[in-house]
Amino acid sequence: MLDRKIGYLHTGVHHGEVVAMAVTGLEGKVAERILIIDYLAVEQKLRGWGIGTWMLEQLRAWALREHRIKGMIIEAEFGTTEAHQERIQFWQRNGFILTSYVHQYRMVPEPYQAMMLPLDTNTHVPDDGEALFRYINAFHKVAYRKS
């Protein structure tokens, strides 16, 4: 994916040490370009220090500057455990809107929900979220296929 320039690897560095990383990709026509955050992680011992929010701010600024995106989408594991709820709350604190649609992949055991952060007044978050998975699935289809 990275070699084919379909996805991007981002790192967050603090005092010369990588403390966060993200994998992203772009989907949609230029006029409605969306940034898919395929993966975001913060070193466990540093969670709760604002590094995830800082990383999201960096991703947003980069994607707006370089690609003029209209929104950002993530897929969050669906569940009722405290860990699941903490993840959802993290994204919501950062402006993402949770959609109601629960997506079940054929090859992945856990279900997911899409969340979106619209970045302009013309970008609409669908009520059910199924439309967001069209962006996610289109990105996955290209990014994870064998070349």
Side-chain angles (χ1 to χ4, degrees), residues 117-142:
L117 174 64
L119 296 177
D120 68 27
T121 56
N122 296 324
T123 303
H124 165 77
V125 179
D127 292 336
D128 72 352
E130 193 168 2
L132 298 181
F133 274 94
R134 288 190 207 106
Y135 286 104
I136 295 166
N137 289 331
F139 171 68
H140 286 167
K141 184 177 181 181
V142 174

Side-chain angles (χ1 to χ4, degrees), residues 8-134:
Y8 302 89
L9 176 65
H10 311 266
T11 57
V13 179
H14 181 67
H15 296 298
E17 185 178 329
V18 175
V19 296
M21 62 87 59
V23 176
T24 65
L26 297 166
E27 193 53 50
K29 298 174 187 168
V30 174
E32 56 189 49
R33 180 114 341 128
I34 298 292
L35 182 73
I36 307 291
I37 301 175
D38 200 45
Y39 187 78
L40 175 72
V42 172
E43 187 173 337
Q44 189 162 0
K45 69 182 181 183
L46 299 176
R47 291 179 187 163
W49 290 24
I51 294 170
T53 296
W54 173 82
M55 190 74 174
L56 277 174
E57 290 168 359
Q58 302 308 306
L59 292 172
R60 178 181 177 168
W62 166 81
L64 282 168
R65 181 180 64 249
E66 300 294 325
H67 302 287
R68 297 188 183 109
I69 62 167
K70 302 298 180 188
M72 299 167 70
I73 298 174
I74 61 101
E75 57 181 347
E77 288 179 32
F78 173 76
T80 57
T81 68
E82 187 175 329
H84 285 107
Q85 295 309 308
E86 286 174 2
R87 286 186 197 115
I88 297 295
Q89 289 168 1
F90 165 78
W91 294 106
Q92 287 176 324
R93 279 193 310 273
N94 285 285
F96 283 76
I97 299 166
L98 180 64
T99 59
S100 61
Y101 171 72
V102 177
H103 186 77
Q104 182 63 61
Y105 290 104
R106 280 184 256 143
M107 304 296 278
V108 180
E110 61 275 339
Y112 287 84
Q113 285 180 282
M115 299 182 79
M116 182 174 186
L117 174 64
L119 296 177
D120 68 27
T121 56
N122 296 324
T123 303
H124 165 77
V125 179
D127 292 336
D128 72 352
E130 193 168 2
L132 298 181
F133 274 94
R134 288 190 207 106

